[in-house]
Amino acid sequence: MTELLLLVLLLPLCGCLFILTTKKDNINAFNVAVFTLFAVILLIVRLLQLQNMQMYDIEPYVIKWFKEYNAKLHFRADIYSLLLLLSVDISLLIGAVGLTVKQRKNKTLMLAGVYLAWTFGGLFCAGDMISFYIFFAAQLLPLFMLMGKFGNMRKNSSLSLFFIFNFAGIMLLLTAIILLYKFNQGNVLLTDITTIGLPRHLKLAVWSLISLSFIIRIPIWPFHYWISSISAGIKNPLVYIITVMLPLTGLYGFMRFWQYHIPQIVGSYVPVIAVFGILTMLFIAIIGTSHKDFLQKLFSYSTVYYLLFLLSDILLNGMYKLNIVYALFIFMIVNSSLAVLDLWSENACEESNCGYHGILAYMPRLSKIIAFFVLIAVGLPVSSMFWNNFVLISAIFKANFAVGLGIMISISMVGMALLYELYVMSDLQTNYPATEITVEDISDRKLAFFIGVIILVFLSFFNPLWFII
Amino acid sequence: MIAYTALLLFLIGVFNSFKVSAGFDKVLSFFTFISLVFIFANFCDSEVVGSKEHIFSLAWNSTPGKDIKFDIISNSYNKQIIIPFFALTLLGIFYNLNFRYEESRSTFSSLLVFNLATLIIMVTSNNFVQLLTALFVVDILSVFIIKDSLSYRRYIMLNILADMFLFMVLAIINSQVDSLDIRQILRYKQSGMYIDFLAVSGFTAVLIKIGMFGFHIGFADLKNVRLHRLQQILFMSSPLAAIIVLLKFHILWQTSEYFIVYLNAACISTMFWSFYGVVFIDSFKSKIIYLQTMFWALFIELLRFNGFIWNDMLSRLLVAMYLLISCMYLIYYYHNRLPSAYQMGKLTIRKTDIQKYIFFMLWLLIIVMSGILTEIYNNSNRYYIWLFAVMFVLALSSVIQQIYFSEKNIALKSQDLPNKKAVFTTISGLSLFLLYEIDYMALPVFGFAAGFLILCRYFSLSANTELPTSWQTKSPFNTIYKSIISAIRHFGQFIRLFIDKLLIEKVIFSVAMFFSQVFIRIFRRIHNKLLSGGFAVFMLLILLLWLSFNKGEF
């Protein structure tokens, strides 16, 4: 199993090397990327089967790095990391499938996609603070390149903001890790990190720095601005999915660093995070309703749900991690699918000049698929997200009624905003075209791919891990 | 027994959902109907006696913390509730078989069968997740039944809102009792936390789903839906699902002192508003929609008088109302599907034998319904049942008066219907059966029967075309809903501009940029060997010195 884990970690790196050697303007890079992601997905499913839902059943793989400095790197995986990694790889695969022929020939994009799959793998399987930091920081450069190339270039300040915020987050985490390293005289396992004896003030400083570095990645007010400004205007499905995935790293950081309990010293500040979290949720949900673009509404939706998962983790003291991960697994897939499907419909709009209103009326196949995913996103019982959200929201109501109420209002608003946008996209009568328009619906292969995704999501309603049976 | 029936229904639904050729479609629909009749007969004959329960249980989803089971509980009470639902579905499929209004009859029949199976799952469910899931499925099926995206937009939005309310209510209950079992809700009464909030939120969801006053616009938008589809939505879709929810949770909600007040206020306001709708809005389908919301208001009050316990009288009332709407349905088709009731009234060729026969059936149904109400009154002794009943008859007679007895001037030929004998025989047979079952020898029954005839002939409230059209087309609720949504949108735009652009981008980032520029200037001064640069280096050295002597102890 350890060898399989190592393969999961190294395969994307090999994929990167292969992509580097491909010719320019060639589809080979895309083929390598898809093959790599697909192979990693299969390996993760096999690992999940072998692990059989045990916590830390996989023996850690240890790299003896700088022996004299006591800096061994540990890589291990459990059900949380494997499921999240699986969801990330499936989302990236969905993003890759969503690319146009021209975009598929972009070698840089493919390289960045597979490289990020590798960094996500490393991050989720990191067992100690140094390896966690390495992969946490390693995501910045390719992201910066992708944003610069495919992001909203009308506003250069957005790119600066993205870099400043993320660089600041990395520096804060580095400072905290150096302090921990100094006091522990070596590297620290993430499972032991809360048990390190530190002076009171230093403990407060270290945990505040760690929390802040993760919060910067999760769009909590006032740090939400960089991600909202950068995601506006991204029209490349893979890049959009990668951008929307970033908060997952912050959320995972909280889940890993506060694995068993929240350190007492920062525990008293949890209500402050909860208040900011709930205000941001409401704020983003209200803003989501004011937008007239599906992708913007989807962004509001994803932000609100990330915050729901964050609040579920910190307010419930990590007791519902498995429910969070089950819900996140479906959430990531649904979010990516909706982004890809919307961008397809937007492309169809541009190519046929038929306008946004009623575009789905010309594309019955796409319309049915997008409607299914919107129904999941709204919260209908067609995936395991429904049941797990129910458990999480129930527990939040028990912990804090006002927070629960705020969450319900926010998720209802973003869900209904998405549903309304679906009607706008299907409503032909409001803007009926004068001339007959032909719009090409999605191809059979794409339809088959998304039917596969739908089956994956729908069967999770009966068993979240049906695919490992 | 119920589980077996539900399974059979599900299989029939699946079988009917396959696309078949037009020729085979009718045969398939016919055999579907026949098989459903046999299942229904078998279901009615089955012996589910007394308190003995048969539970069909299936482990559905297993997650850490809680397992979800799919339970179908067969007992006589559940059977009593299901029988009228089954009867109404059978009638719906029967009309579908006899009228050529669907391209694919079997597809529509499959929708009705799935809907019935889902309602059975709701009735027999014992856990929150099963109940919520079935509720959502009913909503999804209603989209397919309506089949008109412009019409169902607000209906679905409101239903999703109601589902969110119920989701929240059940999550709160689950958080307190730590159980998904509906029978455990009584334990919630012990803690009693947020009970008023629960009652008001939960009942609001029920009101939205039924389309009561304030939330009726979703139903009002359905006036362009085909009448046979509309009839199924008005009876068999979200309203019945909401009634089931009410039957399941009334025990808890009743512990709030606001619940009954809210219920009465909702029912009375719905009654008056719907009365206005039936009498003054000149659209035949709108009149039917409002007539139905009037009926639901009456039905909820009757349920309350009966202690929220379903009984045979309520079943019969439901079937009688369905037949009454079926008569309206026939009137509509005999009058060339004219959208305006007033225009129907002006149809020259009318009062044919068949139309007289429909009128007779309507009168018969009024007798049946007043008979049922008399029996319920005898049990509950609540005099204001009659207030609701009078308003209902008044509203109905105004529509009939407009169609049958107003001035005639349009020369249109009345439309004929296929298989009219079968339909009329069914409606009249069922009406007579209900009449036979009811104790109709009572003074109120006589009063209503005679009153209905007199009102139909002379009641002139329905001369409504003189009213300004704005009264009929503009609803204050449209304005209210639009105002709420636009207020939220404007607020969203405002905070986006104020907080994101002004506060964060212009203030916080500007301050951060200012400080970074200050640092850059200081370092430039150090590089340029200026006096202030030397001072800055000196201060930095003092800071380092202090840190060194502090020995790292923070």
Side-chain angles (χ1 to χ4, degrees), chain A residues 293-338:
Chain A
D293 180 24
F294 189 89
L295 227 47
Q296 291 282 4
K297 290 188 177 184
L298 189 63
F299 172 75
S300 301
Y301 166 80
S302 60
T303 308
V304 164
Y305 269 78
Y306 273 125
L307 290 172
L308 161 67
F309 298 132
L310 173 72
L311 291 178
S312 305
D313 191 41
I314 61 172
L315 275 180
L316 308 176
N317 220 356
M319 286 191 296
Y320 290 84
K321 277 199 170 64
L322 199 58
N323 291 100
I324 294 172
V325 171
Y326 282 156
L328 258 171
F329 176 68
I330 300 297
F331 162 77
M332 297 288 292
I333 294 172
V334 170
N335 205 12
S336 324
S337 303
L338 280 173

Short mmCIF file of all heavy atoms in Angstrom, two decimals, chain A residues 293-338:
data_model
loop_
_atom_site.label_atom_id
_atom_site.label_comp_id
_atom_site.label_asym_id
_atom_site.label_seq_id
_atom_site.Cartn_x
_atom_site.Cartn_y
_atom_site.Cartn_z
N ASP A 293 -24.75 36.60 -13.89
CA ASP A 293 -23.90 35.67 -14.61
C ASP A 293 -23.87 34.36 -13.82
O ASP A 293 -23.70 34.34 -12.60
CB ASP A 293 -22.50 36.29 -14.71
CG ASP A 293 -21.54 35.38 -15.45
OD1 ASP A 293 -22.03 34.56 -16.23
OD2 ASP A 293 -20.32 35.50 -15.23
N PHE A 294 -24.04 33.26 -14.54
CA PHE A 294 -24.10 31.96 -13.87
C PHE A 294 -22.81 31.66 -13.12
O PHE A 294 -22.83 31.17 -11.99
CB PHE A 294 -24.35 30.87 -14.93
CG PHE A 294 -24.64 29.52 -14.33
CD1 PHE A 294 -25.93 29.14 -14.02
CD2 PHE A 294 -23.61 28.63 -14.06
CE1 PHE A 294 -26.19 27.90 -13.46
CE2 PHE A 294 -23.87 27.39 -13.50
CZ PHE A 294 -25.17 27.03 -13.20
N LEU A 295 -21.68 31.99 -13.76
CA LEU A 295 -20.38 31.66 -13.15
C LEU A 295 -20.16 32.43 -11.85
O LEU A 295 -19.58 31.91 -10.90
CB LEU A 295 -19.27 31.96 -14.15
CG LEU A 295 -18.21 30.89 -14.34
CD1 LEU A 295 -18.79 29.51 -14.51
CD2 LEU A 295 -17.30 31.22 -15.48
N GLN A 296 -20.62 33.66 -11.83
CA GLN A 296 -20.50 34.46 -10.60
C GLN A 296 -21.37 33.87 -9.51
O GLN A 296 -20.98 33.83 -8.34
CB GLN A 296 -20.94 35.92 -10.88
CG GLN A 296 -20.00 36.69 -11.78
CD GLN A 296 -18.77 37.18 -11.05
OE1 GLN A 296 -18.57 36.87 -9.89
NE2 GLN A 296 -17.92 37.92 -11.74
N LYS A 297 -22.56 33.42 -9.89
CA LYS A 297 -23.45 32.81 -8.91
C LYS A 297 -22.85 31.50 -8.41
O LYS A 297 -22.96 31.15 -7.23
CB LYS A 297 -24.83 32.56 -9.52
CG LYS A 297 -25.54 33.87 -9.75
CD LYS A 297 -26.95 33.71 -10.17
CE LYS A 297 -27.56 35.10 -10.29
NZ LYS A 297 -28.90 35.19 -10.59
N LEU A 298 -22.21 30.79 -9.32
CA LEU A 298 -21.55 29.54 -8.94
C LEU A 298 -20.41 29.82 -7.97
O LEU A 298 -20.19 29.06 -7.01
CB LEU A 298 -21.04 28.84 -10.20
CG LEU A 298 -20.51 27.43 -10.01
CD1 LEU A 298 -21.62 26.50 -9.53
CD2 LEU A 298 -19.93 26.88 -11.29
N PHE A 299 -19.71 30.90 -8.22
CA PHE A 299 -18.62 31.27 -7.31
C PHE A 299 -19.18 31.57 -5.91
O PHE A 299 -18.62 31.13 -4.90
CB PHE A 299 -17.87 32.49 -7.87
CG PHE A 299 -16.88 33.03 -6.89
CD1 PHE A 299 -15.69 32.36 -6.67
CD2 PHE A 299 -17.15 34.18 -6.16
CE1 PHE A 299 -14.79 32.83 -5.73
CE2 PHE A 299 -16.26 34.64 -5.22
CZ PHE A 299 -15.08 33.97 -5.01
N SER A 300 -20.29 32.31 -5.86
CA SER A 300 -20.93 32.61 -4.56
C SER A 300 -21.33 31.31 -3.88
O SER A 300 -21.13 31.14 -2.67
CB SER A 300 -22.18 33.46 -4.74
OG SER A 300 -21.88 34.64 -5.37
N TYR A 301 -21.89 30.42 -4.68
CA TYR A 301 -22.33 29.13 -4.15
C TYR A 301 -21.16 28.38 -3.53
O TYR A 301 -21.24 27.88 -2.40
CB TYR A 301 -22.97 28.34 -5.29
CG TYR A 301 -23.17 26.87 -5.00
CD1 TYR A 301 -24.25 26.44 -4.24
CD2 TYR A 301 -22.26 25.92 -5.45
CE1 TYR A 301 -24.42 25.10 -3.95
CE2 TYR A 301 -22.43 24.59 -5.17
CZ TYR A 301 -23.50 24.18 -4.42
OH TYR A 301 -23.67 22.86 -4.13
N SER A 302 -20.05 28.31 -4.29
CA SER A 302 -18.92 27.53 -3.78
C SER A 302 -18.32 28.17 -2.54
O SER A 302 -17.96 27.47 -1.59
CB SER A 302 -17.86 27.35 -4.87
OG SER A 302 -17.39 28.59 -5.29
N THR A 303 -18.27 29.50 -2.51
CA THR A 303 -17.73 30.17 -1.33
C THR A 303 -18.57 29.88 -0.10
O THR A 303 -18.05 29.57 0.97
CB THR A 303 -17.68 31.70 -1.59
OG1 THR A 303 -17.01 31.92 -2.81
CG2 THR A 303 -16.97 32.43 -0.47
N VAL A 304 -19.89 29.99 -0.28
CA VAL A 304 -20.80 29.75 0.85
C VAL A 304 -20.63 28.33 1.37
O VAL A 304 -20.58 28.09 2.58
CB VAL A 304 -22.26 30.03 0.42
CG1 VAL A 304 -23.26 29.44 1.40
CG2 VAL A 304 -22.48 31.53 0.31
N TYR A 305 -20.49 27.38 0.46
CA TYR A 305 -20.35 25.98 0.90
C TYR A 305 -18.99 25.72 1.55
O TYR A 305 -18.92 24.96 2.52
CB TYR A 305 -20.62 25.02 -0.27
CG TYR A 305 -22.08 24.64 -0.30
CD1 TYR A 305 -23.03 25.51 -0.82
CD2 TYR A 305 -22.54 23.45 0.24
CE1 TYR A 305 -24.38 25.20 -0.82
CE2 TYR A 305 -23.89 23.13 0.24
CZ TYR A 305 -24.80 24.01 -0.29
OH TYR A 305 -26.14 23.69 -0.27
N TYR A 306 -17.93 26.34 1.04
CA TYR A 306 -16.63 26.19 1.71
C TYR A 306 -16.72 26.69 3.15
O TYR A 306 -16.19 26.07 4.08
CB TYR A 306 -15.55 26.97 0.98
CG TYR A 306 -14.90 26.21 -0.16
CD1 TYR A 306 -14.85 26.73 -1.43
CD2 TYR A 306 -14.32 24.96 0.06
CE1 TYR A 306 -14.26 26.04 -2.48
CE2 TYR A 306 -13.73 24.26 -0.97
CZ TYR A 306 -13.70 24.81 -2.24
OH TYR A 306 -13.12 24.11 -3.27
N LEU A 307 -17.40 27.82 3.31
CA LEU A 307 -17.53 28.37 4.66
C LEU A 307 -18.39 27.47 5.54
O LEU A 307 -18.14 27.33 6.74
CB LEU A 307 -18.10 29.79 4.59
CG LEU A 307 -17.12 30.81 4.00
CD1 LEU A 307 -17.80 32.15 3.79
CD2 LEU A 307 -15.93 30.99 4.91
N LEU A 308 -19.41 26.86 4.94
CA LEU A 308 -20.23 25.91 5.71
C LEU A 308 -19.35 24.77 6.23
O LEU A 308 -19.43 24.39 7.40
CB LEU A 308 -21.36 25.37 4.82
CG LEU A 308 -22.03 24.08 5.28
CD1 LEU A 308 -22.81 24.30 6.57
CD2 LEU A 308 -22.97 23.53 4.22
N PHE A 309 -18.48 24.25 5.35
CA PHE A 309 -17.62 23.14 5.77
C PHE A 309 -16.60 23.59 6.81
O PHE A 309 -16.30 22.85 7.76
CB PHE A 309 -16.92 22.51 4.56
CG PHE A 309 -17.88 21.93 3.55
CD1 PHE A 309 -17.78 22.19 2.20
CD2 PHE A 309 -18.93 21.12 3.97
CE1 PHE A 309 -18.68 21.66 1.29
CE2 PHE A 309 -19.85 20.59 3.07
CZ PHE A 309 -19.72 20.87 1.73
N LEU A 310 -16.11 24.81 6.64
CA LEU A 310 -15.15 25.33 7.63
C LEU A 310 -15.82 25.46 9.00
O LEU A 310 -15.28 25.01 10.02
CB LEU A 310 -14.61 26.69 7.17
CG LEU A 310 -13.73 27.40 8.19
CD1 LEU A 310 -12.38 26.71 8.31
CD2 LEU A 310 -13.53 28.86 7.86
N LEU A 311 -17.00 26.08 8.99
CA LEU A 311 -17.72 26.27 10.27
C LEU A 311 -18.08 24.92 10.87
O LEU A 311 -18.03 24.75 12.09
CB LEU A 311 -18.97 27.12 10.05
CG LEU A 311 -18.72 28.58 9.69
CD1 LEU A 311 -20.03 29.32 9.46
CD2 LEU A 311 -17.93 29.29 10.79
N SER A 312 -18.44 23.97 10.02
CA SER A 312 -18.76 22.62 10.54
C SER A 312 -17.55 22.02 11.22
O SER A 312 -17.67 21.35 12.24
CB SER A 312 -19.17 21.70 9.40
OG SER A 312 -20.21 22.24 8.69
N ASP A 313 -16.38 22.26 10.67
CA ASP A 313 -15.18 21.67 11.26
C ASP A 313 -14.82 22.35 12.57
O ASP A 313 -14.59 21.69 13.58
CB ASP A 313 -14.02 21.78 10.26
CG ASP A 313 -12.83 20.96 10.71
OD1 ASP A 313 -13.05 19.83 11.20
OD2 ASP A 313 -11.70 21.43 10.61
N ILE A 314 -14.79 23.67 12.55
CA ILE A 314 -14.28 24.33 13.76
C ILE A 314 -15.33 24.43 14.87
O ILE A 314 -15.00 24.33 16.03
CB ILE A 314 -13.64 25.71 13.46
CG1 ILE A 314 -14.67 26.67 12.85
CG2 ILE A 314 -12.44 25.59 12.57
CD1 ILE A 314 -14.16 28.08 12.73
N LEU A 315 -16.59 24.59 14.49
CA LEU A 315 -17.62 24.71 15.53
C LEU A 315 -17.92 23.35 16.18
O LEU A 315 -18.28 23.29 17.35
CB LEU A 315 -18.92 25.27 14.95
CG LEU A 315 -19.04 26.78 14.85
CD1 LEU A 315 -20.37 27.15 14.25
CD2 LEU A 315 -18.89 27.45 16.20
N LEU A 316 -17.79 22.30 15.40
CA LEU A 316 -18.13 20.98 15.92
C LEU A 316 -16.89 20.24 16.39
O LEU A 316 -16.92 19.02 16.60
CB LEU A 316 -18.87 20.16 14.85
CG LEU A 316 -20.07 20.87 14.23
CD1 LEU A 316 -20.68 20.04 13.12
CD2 LEU A 316 -21.12 21.16 15.28
N ASN A 317 -15.80 20.98 16.52
CA ASN A 317 -14.57 20.46 17.10
C ASN A 317 -14.06 19.21 16.36
O ASN A 317 -13.53 18.28 16.97
CB ASN A 317 -14.81 20.12 18.56
CG ASN A 317 -13.61 20.51 19.41
OD1 ASN A 317 -12.59 20.96 18.87
ND2 ASN A 317 -13.72 20.33 20.70
N GLY A 318 -14.26 19.19 15.06
CA GLY A 318 -13.71 18.10 14.25
C GLY A 318 -14.40 16.77 14.39
O GLY A 318 -13.89 15.74 13.94
N MET A 319 -15.59 16.77 15.00
CA MET A 319 -16.26 15.48 15.22
C MET A 319 -16.97 14.94 13.98
O MET A 319 -17.35 13.79 13.93
CB MET A 319 -17.27 15.61 16.36
CG MET A 319 -16.60 15.68 17.72
SD MET A 319 -17.78 15.51 19.03
CE MET A 319 -18.79 16.92 18.83
N TYR A 320 -17.20 15.81 13.01
CA TYR A 320 -17.97 15.40 11.83
C TYR A 320 -17.12 15.46 10.56
O TYR A 320 -17.63 15.78 9.50
CB TYR A 320 -19.21 16.29 11.69
CG TYR A 320 -20.25 16.05 12.76
CD1 TYR A 320 -20.17 16.66 13.99
CD2 TYR A 320 -21.31 15.18 12.53
CE1 TYR A 320 -21.11 16.42 14.99
CE2 TYR A 320 -22.25 14.94 13.51
CZ TYR A 320 -22.14 15.57 14.73
OH TYR A 320 -23.08 15.32 15.69
N LYS A 321 -15.85 15.15 10.73
CA LYS A 321 -14.92 15.26 9.58
C LYS A 321 -15.34 14.38 8.41
O LYS A 321 -15.26 14.79 7.26
CB LYS A 321 -13.51 14.89 10.02
CG LYS A 321 -12.78 16.03 10.67
CD LYS A 321 -11.28 15.78 10.67
CE LYS A 321 -10.52 17.02 11.09
NZ LYS A 321 -10.78 17.45 12.44
N LEU A 322 -15.78 13.18 8.72
CA LEU A 322 -16.12 12.26 7.64
C LEU A 322 -17.33 12.77 6.85
O LEU A 322 -17.35 12.69 5.62
CB LEU A 322 -16.40 10.86 8.20
CG LEU A 322 -16.31 9.74 7.18
CD1 LEU A 322 -14.94 9.69 6.52
CD2 LEU A 322 -16.61 8.39 7.81
N ASN A 323 -18.30 13.31 7.57
CA ASN A 323 -19.46 13.90 6.88
C ASN A 323 -19.02 15.07 6.01
O ASN A 323 -19.52 15.25 4.89
CB ASN A 323 -20.50 14.37 7.89
CG ASN A 323 -21.16 13.21 8.60
OD1 ASN A 323 -20.79 12.90 9.71
ND2 ASN A 323 -22.08 12.53 7.95
N ILE A 324 -18.09 15.86 6.53
CA ILE A 324 -17.59 17.02 5.76
C ILE A 324 -16.93 16.52 4.47
O ILE A 324 -17.16 17.05 3.39
CB ILE A 324 -16.60 17.85 6.60
CG1 ILE A 324 -17.31 18.49 7.78
CG2 ILE A 324 -15.93 18.92 5.75
CD1 ILE A 324 -16.40 19.17 8.78
N VAL A 325 -16.10 15.49 4.63
CA VAL A 325 -15.36 14.99 3.46
C VAL A 325 -16.31 14.35 2.44
O VAL A 325 -16.17 14.58 1.24
CB VAL A 325 -14.26 14.00 3.91
CG1 VAL A 325 -13.63 13.31 2.73
CG2 VAL A 325 -13.19 14.74 4.69
N TYR A 326 -17.30 13.62 2.91
CA TYR A 326 -18.29 13.04 1.99
C TYR A 326 -19.01 14.14 1.21
O TYR A 326 -19.21 14.04 0.00
CB TYR A 326 -19.33 12.22 2.75
CG TYR A 326 -18.88 10.84 3.19
CD1 TYR A 326 -19.49 10.20 4.27
CD2 TYR A 326 -17.87 10.17 2.53
CE1 TYR A 326 -19.10 8.94 4.68
CE2 TYR A 326 -17.46 8.91 2.94
CZ TYR A 326 -18.08 8.30 4.01
OH TYR A 326 -17.69 7.05 4.41
N ALA A 327 -19.40 15.17 1.94
CA ALA A 327 -20.13 16.28 1.29
C ALA A 327 -19.20 17.01 0.33
O ALA A 327 -19.60 17.37 -0.79
CB ALA A 327 -20.69 17.22 2.33
N LEU A 328 -17.95 17.23 0.78
CA LEU A 328 -16.98 17.95 -0.07
C LEU A 328 -16.70 17.19 -1.36
O LEU A 328 -16.54 17.80 -2.42
CB LEU A 328 -15.67 18.09 0.70
CG LEU A 328 -15.36 19.44 1.33
CD1 LEU A 328 -14.15 19.35 2.21
CD2 LEU A 328 -15.14 20.51 0.29
N PHE A 329 -16.65 15.88 -1.25
CA PHE A 329 -16.37 15.04 -2.42
C PHE A 329 -17.39 15.32 -3.53
O PHE A 329 -17.03 15.57 -4.69
CB PHE A 329 -16.40 13.57 -1.99
CG PHE A 329 -16.22 12.59 -3.11
CD1 PHE A 329 -15.01 12.48 -3.76
CD2 PHE A 329 -17.26 11.78 -3.53
CE1 PHE A 329 -14.84 11.58 -4.80
CE2 PHE A 329 -17.11 10.89 -4.57
CZ PHE A 329 -15.89 10.79 -5.21
N ILE A 330 -18.66 15.31 -3.16
CA ILE A 330 -19.71 15.57 -4.16
C ILE A 330 -19.71 17.03 -4.57
O ILE A 330 -19.86 17.37 -5.75
CB ILE A 330 -21.09 15.16 -3.60
CG1 ILE A 330 -21.13 13.68 -3.24
CG2 ILE A 330 -22.22 15.50 -4.57
CD1 ILE A 330 -20.94 12.74 -4.41
N PHE A 331 -19.51 17.89 -3.59
CA PHE A 331 -19.53 19.33 -3.85
C PHE A 331 -18.50 19.72 -4.92
O PHE A 331 -18.79 20.48 -5.84
CB PHE A 331 -19.27 20.08 -2.54
CG PHE A 331 -18.83 21.50 -2.70
CD1 PHE A 331 -19.74 22.48 -3.01
CD2 PHE A 331 -17.50 21.85 -2.54
CE1 PHE A 331 -19.33 23.79 -3.17
CE2 PHE A 331 -17.08 23.15 -2.69
CZ PHE A 331 -18.00 24.13 -3.01
N MET A 332 -17.29 19.17 -4.79
CA MET A 332 -16.23 19.50 -5.74
C MET A 332 -16.61 19.05 -7.16
O MET A 332 -16.41 19.79 -8.13
CB MET A 332 -14.93 18.78 -5.35
CG MET A 332 -14.36 19.19 -4.02
SD MET A 332 -13.66 20.82 -4.05
CE MET A 332 -12.28 20.53 -5.08
N ILE A 333 -17.16 17.85 -7.24
CA ILE A 333 -17.52 17.32 -8.56
C ILE A 333 -18.65 18.15 -9.18
O ILE A 333 -18.61 18.51 -10.36
CB ILE A 333 -17.92 15.83 -8.45
CG1 ILE A 333 -16.70 15.00 -8.02
CG2 ILE A 333 -18.48 15.30 -9.75
CD1 ILE A 333 -17.01 13.57 -7.68
N VAL A 334 -19.64 18.46 -8.36
CA VAL A 334 -20.79 19.23 -8.86
C VAL A 334 -20.36 20.63 -9.30
O VAL A 334 -20.74 21.12 -10.36
CB VAL A 334 -21.89 19.30 -7.77
CG1 VAL A 334 -22.98 20.28 -8.15
CG2 VAL A 334 -22.48 17.93 -7.54
N ASN A 335 -19.54 21.23 -8.48
CA ASN A 335 -19.06 22.58 -8.76
C ASN A 335 -18.28 22.61 -10.08
O ASN A 335 -18.52 23.49 -10.94
CB ASN A 335 -18.15 22.99 -7.60
CG ASN A 335 -18.08 24.48 -7.44
OD1 ASN A 335 -18.86 25.21 -8.03
ND2 ASN A 335 -17.15 24.93 -6.65
N SER A 336 -17.38 21.66 -10.25
CA SER A 336 -16.58 21.62 -11.48
C SER A 336 -17.48 21.34 -12.69
O SER A 336 -17.31 21.97 -13.75
CB SER A 336 -15.53 20.52 -11.43
OG SER A 336 -15.03 20.39 -10.17
N SER A 337 -18.39 20.41 -12.52
CA SER A 337 -19.27 20.07 -13.65
C SER A 337 -20.09 21.28 -14.07
O SER A 337 -20.22 21.56 -15.28
CB SER A 337 -20.22 18.93 -13.26
OG SER A 337 -19.49 17.83 -12.84
N LEU A 338 -20.62 21.99 -13.10
CA LEU A 338 -21.45 23.16 -13.43
C LEU A 338 -20.62 24.22 -14.14
O LEU A 338 -21.11 24.86 -15.09
CB LEU A 338 -22.09 23.74 -12.17
CG LEU A 338 -23.33 23.00 -11.68
CD1 LEU A 338 -23.79 23.56 -10.34
CD2 LEU A 338 -24.47 23.11 -12.67
#
